[in-house]
Amino acid sequence: MTGIDHPCSFHHLPVFTLPEPGDDSPWPATLPTPDAIAWRLDCGWEGQEFAVVWQHFLEKVDPAQVRALVIGHWWDGDYTSLAPVVELITSDAARFPALRALFLADVVGEECEVSWLQMCDITPVLRAFPRLEELVVRGGGSGLDEETLELRPVRHEALKALRFESGGLPGHVVRAVGACELPALERLELWLGSQWYAGDATVADMAPLLSGGTLPRLRHLGLQNSEIQDEIAVAVASAPVVAQLESLALSMGTLSDAGGLALLEGQPLTHLDSLDLHHHYLSDEVRERFKELSARDGVHVDLSEADYWDPRDDEPRYVAVSE
């Protein structure tokens, strides 16, 4: 799961993992102030189910003061669906009036590959927490029979940042995001992934997001980690939403000269503060043109992690995060 790590901070707060209880545990004197950190909960305790971890958290920490939650691996033994975790969190939503940020499935490759995670419908989270400002979801589809990520169109007045980190984001989730009413949303990132892991979203699925009409406050857009990165770049080159952005990310995918030239020859990008293209398959010549854009107009262009690809060869290109 290259490129995915446990966050050290979340929602501008340091992440603190709830300690395991025991004779040598520092309860309660050394626990941080509830609103000063992002609380990370996981089943690192041997033989503990997430329901036990959750109840222990509610007993030891005042939930009314908690501002950010990070949910780590939630299974004990075999991988299981995220659905019971979502049910626990949403059923206790009234006890978390200050919660502004939630990270579902902070899991790295040593624990479970991103495309093996058994996800669920996350719509209840948005409905249960109307004041939520940031939501991150790691995991999407697996291409297998396990439970996959679901989202239904909702209206949410407060959400400012939404990120899906996935090795394969189903097209129905992308369409649902486009159908949501998110008037406060400023940052949107979609890791679209590989078709082998249910990443079947098309450019047509992204049309509402590219139109600029559905997200009036959007300032950062990331359409990343895609096998159709060139097609996305061609669409972005003339997309109305670009004019309102401060930053754009088309990174982590299979971007080649076809997509790069479309961006360079499309609508002006000179108003952007940054253009993230890292992990790409651009030729030296096209990279030089992006460097000229950076030098001439002050746009910070991230061209790191260049990979060699010869279009004359029948060699595949790979996204940064798939399995």
Side-chain angles (χ1 to χ4, degrees):
M1 200 155 40
T2 304
I4 294 186
D5 299 301
H6 292 304
C8 296
S9 64
F10 178 56
H11 202 61
H12 308 294
L13 297 169
V15 174
F16 177 85
T17 300
L18 184 71
E20 179 180 356
D23 294 341
D24 298 326
S25 296
W27 303 107
T30 60
L31 280 181
T33 304
D35 62 354
I37 58 169
W39 292 89
R40 186 178 189 277
L41 312 180
D42 67 30
C43 287
W45 314 345
E46 185 176 351
Q48 296 286 359
E49 297 181 354
F50 187 84
V52 175
V53 177
W54 182 252
Q55 185 58 41
H56 182 70
F57 174 60
L58 295 179
E59 292 172 356
K60 295 298 182 179
V61 177
D62 180 6
Q65 299 183 53
V66 173
R67 296 167 56 198
L69 275 176
V70 177
I71 305 302
H73 77 273
W74 59 88
W75 58 88
D76 174 35
D78 294 336
Y79 303 142
T80 57
S81 170
L82 183 66
V85 176
V86 169
E87 184 176 353
L88 277 173
I89 294 172
T90 54
S91 65
D92 284 323
R95 303 181 67 175
F96 291 86
L99 190 70
R100 296 295 179 267
L102 178 61
F103 190 145
L104 292 174
D106 172 28
V107 178
V108 297
E110 291 80 2
E111 299 162 327
C112 179
E113 297 292 350
V114 65
S115 295
W116 299 356
L117 293 170
Q118 296 189 38
M119 305 305 290
C120 67
D121 186 356
I122 61 159
T123 314
V125 170
L126 292 171
R127 290 178 172 165
F129 295 99
R131 297 180 181 177
L132 198 69
E133 296 178 356
E134 182 171 4
L135 176 62
V136 177
V137 180
R138 181 174 290 169
S142 67
L144 303 174
D145 295 331
E146 287 85 357
E147 293 190 53
T148 190
L149 182 67
E150 299 284 345
L151 175 68
R152 286 166 283 151
V154 295
R155 180 175 178 86
H156 196 287
E157 300 284 350
L159 197 67
K160 296 180 180 179
L162 176 62
R163 183 167 81 247
F164 289 97
E165 299 182 353
S166 173
L169 193 63
H172 60 78
V173 174
V174 176
R175 293 191 294 273
V177 173
C180 286
E181 296 180 63
L182 305 171
L185 197 70
E186 299 173 0
R187 297 184 61 86
L188 174 64
E189 296 182 30
L190 305 178
W191 295 13
L192 299 158
S194 167
Q195 62 179 327
W196 298 107
Y197 297 102
D200 59 357
T202 66
V203 170
D205 294 331
M206 305 169 207
L209 306 175
L210 297 174
S211 72
T214 59
L215 300 171
R217 297 190 63 180
L218 194 69
R219 295 298 177 264
H220 172 80
L221 176 62
L223 299 173
Q224 303 159 258
N225 197 51
S226 177
E227 290 183 327
I228 59 167
Q229 205 73 62
D230 281 340
E231 294 178 42
I232 293 170
V234 170
V236 166
S238 60
V241 72
V242 173
Q244 72 188 61
L245 300 179
E246 296 174 356
S247 56
L248 173 65
L250 302 177
S251 56
M252 304 171 62
T254 60
L255 186 70
S256 72
D257 286 0
L261 289 172
L263 290 173
L264 289 165
E265 296 168 2
Q267 64 183 305
L269 302 175
T270 54
H271 65 288
L272 295 176
D273 294 329
S274 65
L275 174 62
D276 182 3
L277 303 178
H278 85 270
H279 185 277
H280 59 82
Y281 294 82
L282 299 172
S283 66
D284 291 342
E285 293 78 11
V286 173
R287 273 183 283 175
E288 284 303 315
R289 291 189 59 180
F290 277 110
K291 291 177 183 177
E292 291 171 9
L293 171 70
S294 180
R296 183 182 65 245
D297 299 303
V299 180
H300 179 266
V301 184
D302 186 346
L303 294 166
S304 61
E305 299 181 39
D307 207 340
Y308 175 78
W309 178 69
D310 189 337
R312 296 170 297 181
D313 297 333
D314 190 23
E315 292 293 329
R317 291 171 286 160
Y318 300 99
V319 299
V321 176
S322 55
E323 188 173 61

PDB file of all heavy atoms in Angstrom, residues 183-201:
ATOM      1  N   PRO A 183     -22.610  22.781   0.164  1.00  0.00           N
ATOM      2  CA  PRO A 183     -22.346  24.196  -0.117  1.00  0.00           C
ATOM      3  C   PRO A 183     -21.103  24.755   0.557  1.00  0.00           C
ATOM      4  O   PRO A 183     -20.574  25.777   0.102  1.00  0.00           O
ATOM      5  CB  PRO A 183     -23.607  24.899   0.398  1.00  0.00           C
ATOM      6  CG  PRO A 183     -24.188  23.955   1.416  1.00  0.00           C
ATOM      7  CD  PRO A 183     -23.876  22.592   0.888  1.00  0.00           C
ATOM      8  N   ALA A 184     -20.605  24.116   1.626  1.00  0.00           N
ATOM      9  CA  ALA A 184     -19.423  24.619   2.336  1.00  0.00           C
ATOM     10  C   ALA A 184     -18.134  23.937   1.904  1.00  0.00           C
ATOM     11  O   ALA A 184     -17.048  24.322   2.357  1.00  0.00           O
ATOM     12  CB  ALA A 184     -19.610  24.449   3.841  1.00  0.00           C
ATOM     13  N   LEU A 185     -18.212  22.938   1.029  1.00  0.00           N
ATOM     14  CA  LEU A 185     -17.037  22.122   0.706  1.00  0.00           C
ATOM     15  C   LEU A 185     -15.960  22.946   0.009  1.00  0.00           C
ATOM     16  O   LEU A 185     -16.196  23.578  -1.021  1.00  0.00           O
ATOM     17  CB  LEU A 185     -17.428  20.944  -0.172  1.00  0.00           C
ATOM     18  CG  LEU A 185     -16.384  19.818  -0.238  1.00  0.00           C
ATOM     19  CD1 LEU A 185     -16.312  19.086   1.095  1.00  0.00           C
ATOM     20  CD2 LEU A 185     -16.702  18.835  -1.360  1.00  0.00           C
ATOM     21  N   GLU A 186     -14.747  22.898   0.582  1.00  0.00           N
ATOM     22  CA  GLU A 186     -13.600  23.615   0.041  1.00  0.00           C
ATOM     23  C   GLU A 186     -12.555  22.682  -0.558  1.00  0.00           C
ATOM     24  O   GLU A 186     -11.814  23.090  -1.457  1.00  0.00           O
ATOM     25  CB  GLU A 186     -12.953  24.467   1.137  1.00  0.00           C
ATOM     26  CG  GLU A 186     -13.878  25.526   1.717  1.00  0.00           C
ATOM     27  CD  GLU A 186     -13.273  26.236   2.918  1.00  0.00           C
ATOM     28  OE1 GLU A 186     -12.122  25.895   3.297  1.00  0.00           O
ATOM     29  OE2 GLU A 186     -13.948  27.113   3.475  1.00  0.00           O
ATOM     30  N   ARG A 187     -12.471  21.450  -0.061  1.00  0.00           N
ATOM     31  CA  ARG A 187     -11.465  20.489  -0.517  1.00  0.00           C
ATOM     32  C   ARG A 187     -12.125  19.147  -0.801  1.00  0.00           C
ATOM     33  O   ARG A 187     -12.829  18.605   0.049  1.00  0.00           O
ATOM     34  CB  ARG A 187     -10.362  20.299   0.526  1.00  0.00           C
ATOM     35  CG  ARG A 187      -9.551  21.545   0.822  1.00  0.00           C
ATOM     36  CD  ARG A 187      -8.422  21.237   1.802  1.00  0.00           C
ATOM     37  NE  ARG A 187      -7.490  20.254   1.262  1.00  0.00           N
ATOM     38  CZ  ARG A 187      -6.454  20.564   0.482  1.00  0.00           C
ATOM     39  NH1 ARG A 187      -6.228  21.819   0.147  1.00  0.00           N
ATOM     40  NH2 ARG A 187      -5.646  19.620   0.024  1.00  0.00           N
ATOM     41  N   LEU A 188     -11.876  18.627  -2.000  1.00  0.00           N
ATOM     42  CA  LEU A 188     -12.392  17.317  -2.387  1.00  0.00           C
ATOM     43  C   LEU A 188     -11.273  16.533  -3.047  1.00  0.00           C
ATOM     44  O   LEU A 188     -10.637  17.008  -3.993  1.00  0.00           O
ATOM     45  CB  LEU A 188     -13.559  17.466  -3.363  1.00  0.00           C
ATOM     46  CG  LEU A 188     -14.099  16.152  -3.964  1.00  0.00           C
ATOM     47  CD1 LEU A 188     -14.690  15.267  -2.878  1.00  0.00           C
ATOM     48  CD2 LEU A 188     -15.136  16.449  -5.043  1.00  0.00           C
ATOM     49  N   GLU A 189     -11.008  15.323  -2.531  1.00  0.00           N
ATOM     50  CA  GLU A 189      -9.995  14.444  -3.106  1.00  0.00           C
ATOM     51  C   GLU A 189     -10.586  13.062  -3.296  1.00  0.00           C
ATOM     52  O   GLU A 189     -11.121  12.472  -2.354  1.00  0.00           O
ATOM     53  CB  GLU A 189      -8.758  14.351  -2.202  1.00  0.00           C
ATOM     54  CG  GLU A 189      -8.016  15.662  -2.037  1.00  0.00           C
ATOM     55  CD  GLU A 189      -6.780  15.511  -1.178  1.00  0.00           C
ATOM     56  OE1 GLU A 189      -6.184  14.417  -1.190  1.00  0.00           O
ATOM     57  OE2 GLU A 189      -6.421  16.471  -0.483  1.00  0.00           O
ATOM     58  N   LEU A 190     -10.461  12.559  -4.521  1.00  0.00           N
ATOM     59  CA  LEU A 190     -10.934  11.215  -4.851  1.00  0.00           C
ATOM     60  C   LEU A 190      -9.776  10.415  -5.421  1.00  0.00           C
ATOM     61  O   LEU A 190      -9.233  10.766  -6.472  1.00  0.00           O
ATOM     62  CB  LEU A 190     -12.066  11.285  -5.878  1.00  0.00           C
ATOM     63  CG  LEU A 190     -13.282  12.154  -5.550  1.00  0.00           C
ATOM     64  CD1 LEU A 190     -14.269  12.139  -6.702  1.00  0.00           C
ATOM     65  CD2 LEU A 190     -13.947  11.696  -4.264  1.00  0.00           C
ATOM     66  N   TRP A 191      -9.384   9.342  -4.719  1.00  0.00           N
ATOM     67  CA  TRP A 191      -8.393   8.402  -5.245  1.00  0.00           C
ATOM     68  C   TRP A 191      -9.188   7.334  -5.982  1.00  0.00           C
ATOM     69  O   TRP A 191      -9.828   6.484  -5.369  1.00  0.00           O
ATOM     70  CB  TRP A 191      -7.584   7.782  -4.117  1.00  0.00           C
ATOM     71  CG  TRP A 191      -6.720   8.746  -3.351  1.00  0.00           C
ATOM     72  CD1 TRP A 191      -6.755  10.109  -3.378  1.00  0.00           C
ATOM     73  CD2 TRP A 191      -5.696   8.395  -2.421  1.00  0.00           C
ATOM     74  NE1 TRP A 191      -5.817  10.631  -2.527  1.00  0.00           N
ATOM     75  CE2 TRP A 191      -5.148   9.605  -1.927  1.00  0.00           C
ATOM     76  CE3 TRP A 191      -5.179   7.186  -1.956  1.00  0.00           C
ATOM     77  CZ2 TRP A 191      -4.120   9.632  -0.989  1.00  0.00           C
ATOM     78  CZ3 TRP A 191      -4.154   7.199  -1.025  1.00  0.00           C
ATOM     79  CH2 TRP A 191      -3.625   8.418  -0.547  1.00  0.00           C
ATOM     80  N   LEU A 192      -9.121   7.349  -7.302  1.00  0.00           N
ATOM     81  CA  LEU A 192     -10.039   6.562  -8.122  1.00  0.00           C
ATOM     82  C   LEU A 192      -9.601   5.116  -8.316  1.00  0.00           C
ATOM     83  O   LEU A 192     -10.428   4.228  -8.460  1.00  0.00           O
ATOM     84  CB  LEU A 192     -10.228   7.265  -9.469  1.00  0.00           C
ATOM     85  CG  LEU A 192     -10.843   8.667  -9.292  1.00  0.00           C
ATOM     86  CD1 LEU A 192     -10.550   9.539 -10.484  1.00  0.00           C
ATOM     87  CD2 LEU A 192     -12.329   8.569  -9.040  1.00  0.00           C
ATOM     88  N   GLY A 193      -8.293   4.867  -8.368  1.00  0.00           N
ATOM     89  CA  GLY A 193      -7.786   3.510  -8.318  1.00  0.00           C
ATOM     90  C   GLY A 193      -7.895   2.711  -9.603  1.00  0.00           C
ATOM     91  O   GLY A 193      -8.007   3.252 -10.713  1.00  0.00           O
ATOM     92  N   SER A 194      -7.879   1.402  -9.438  1.00  0.00           N
ATOM     93  CA  SER A 194      -7.772   0.451 -10.537  1.00  0.00           C
ATOM     94  C   SER A 194      -9.083  -0.283 -10.769  1.00  0.00           C
ATOM     95  O   SER A 194      -9.824  -0.584  -9.833  1.00  0.00           O
ATOM     96  CB  SER A 194      -6.666  -0.572 -10.213  1.00  0.00           C
ATOM     97  OG  SER A 194      -6.720  -1.670 -11.090  1.00  0.00           O
ATOM     98  N   GLN A 195      -9.335  -0.617 -12.043  1.00  0.00           N
ATOM     99  CA  GLN A 195     -10.528  -1.394 -12.379  1.00  0.00           C
ATOM    100  C   GLN A 195     -10.503  -2.771 -11.733  1.00  0.00           C
ATOM    101  O   GLN A 195     -11.557  -3.392 -11.511  1.00  0.00           O
ATOM    102  CB  GLN A 195     -10.634  -1.534 -13.893  1.00  0.00           C
ATOM    103  CG  GLN A 195      -9.470  -2.284 -14.522  1.00  0.00           C
ATOM    104  CD  GLN A 195      -9.601  -2.429 -16.014  1.00  0.00           C
ATOM    105  OE1 GLN A 195     -10.710  -2.539 -16.533  1.00  0.00           O
ATOM    106  NE2 GLN A 195      -8.474  -2.424 -16.722  1.00  0.00           N
ATOM    107  N   TRP A 196      -9.295  -3.287 -11.425  1.00  0.00           N
ATOM    108  CA  TRP A 196      -9.199  -4.605 -10.807  1.00  0.00           C
ATOM    109  C   TRP A 196      -9.732  -4.606  -9.382  1.00  0.00           C
ATOM    110  O   TRP A 196      -9.983  -5.663  -8.797  1.00  0.00           O
ATOM    111  CB  TRP A 196      -7.756  -5.094 -10.824  1.00  0.00           C
ATOM    112  CG  TRP A 196      -7.227  -5.248 -12.214  1.00  0.00           C
ATOM    113  CD1 TRP A 196      -6.318  -4.450 -12.848  1.00  0.00           C
ATOM    114  CD2 TRP A 196      -7.605  -6.237 -13.171  1.00  0.00           C
ATOM    115  NE1 TRP A 196      -6.092  -4.881 -14.132  1.00  0.00           N
ATOM    116  CE2 TRP A 196      -6.879  -5.990 -14.360  1.00  0.00           C
ATOM    117  CE3 TRP A 196      -8.480  -7.326 -13.143  1.00  0.00           C
ATOM    118  CZ2 TRP A 196      -7.012  -6.770 -15.493  1.00  0.00           C
ATOM    119  CZ3 TRP A 196      -8.616  -8.107 -14.280  1.00  0.00           C
ATOM    120  CH2 TRP A 196      -7.885  -7.832 -15.428  1.00  0.00           C
ATOM    121  N   TYR A 197      -9.893  -3.427  -8.808  1.00  0.00           N
ATOM    122  CA  TYR A 197     -10.416  -3.302  -7.445  1.00  0.00           C
ATOM    123  C   TYR A 197     -11.651  -2.419  -7.428  1.00  0.00           C
ATOM    124  O   TYR A 197     -11.825  -1.595  -6.531  1.00  0.00           O
ATOM    125  CB  TYR A 197      -9.327  -2.781  -6.507  1.00  0.00           C
ATOM    126  CG  TYR A 197      -8.161  -3.729  -6.408  1.00  0.00           C
ATOM    127  CD1 TYR A 197      -6.980  -3.485  -7.096  1.00  0.00           C
ATOM    128  CD2 TYR A 197      -8.260  -4.898  -5.667  1.00  0.00           C
ATOM    129  CE1 TYR A 197      -5.917  -4.372  -7.032  1.00  0.00           C
ATOM    130  CE2 TYR A 197      -7.210  -5.803  -5.604  1.00  0.00           C
ATOM    131  CZ  TYR A 197      -6.046  -5.533  -6.286  1.00  0.00           C
ATOM    132  OH  TYR A 197      -4.991  -6.427  -6.229  1.00  0.00           O
ATOM    133  N   ALA A 198     -12.499  -2.599  -8.436  1.00  0.00           N
ATOM    134  CA  ALA A 198     -13.805  -1.928  -8.533  1.00  0.00           C
ATOM    135  C   ALA A 198     -13.694  -0.435  -8.798  1.00  0.00           C
ATOM    136  O   ALA A 198     -14.654   0.295  -8.601  1.00  0.00           O
ATOM    137  CB  ALA A 198     -14.648  -2.186  -7.278  1.00  0.00           C
ATOM    138  N   GLY A 199     -12.539   0.018  -9.264  1.00  0.00           N
ATOM    139  CA  GLY A 199     -12.385   1.430  -9.624  1.00  0.00           C
ATOM    140  C   GLY A 199     -12.894   1.674 -11.028  1.00  0.00           C
ATOM    141  O   GLY A 199     -12.108   1.860 -11.962  1.00  0.00           O
ATOM    142  N   ASP A 200     -14.205   1.689 -11.190  1.00  0.00           N
ATOM    143  CA  ASP A 200     -14.809   1.747 -12.516  1.00  0.00           C
ATOM    144  C   ASP A 200     -15.414   3.111 -12.850  1.00  0.00           C
ATOM    145  O   ASP A 200     -16.236   3.230 -13.763  1.00  0.00           O
ATOM    146  CB  ASP A 200     -15.877   0.653 -12.653  1.00  0.00           C
ATOM    147  CG  ASP A 200     -16.991   0.770 -11.611  1.00  0.00           C
ATOM    148  OD1 ASP A 200     -16.927   1.667 -10.743  1.00  0.00           O
ATOM    149  OD2 ASP A 200     -17.932  -0.053 -11.663  1.00  0.00           O
ATOM    150  N   ALA A 201     -15.019   4.156 -12.122  1.00  0.00           N
ATOM    151  CA  ALA A 201     -15.554   5.489 -12.398  1.00  0.00           C
ATOM    152  C   ALA A 201     -15.089   5.982 -13.767  1.00  0.00           C
ATOM    153  O   ALA A 201     -13.958   5.725 -14.190  1.00  0.00           O
ATOM    154  CB  ALA A 201     -15.112   6.475 -11.319  1.00  0.00           C
TER     155      ALA A 201
END
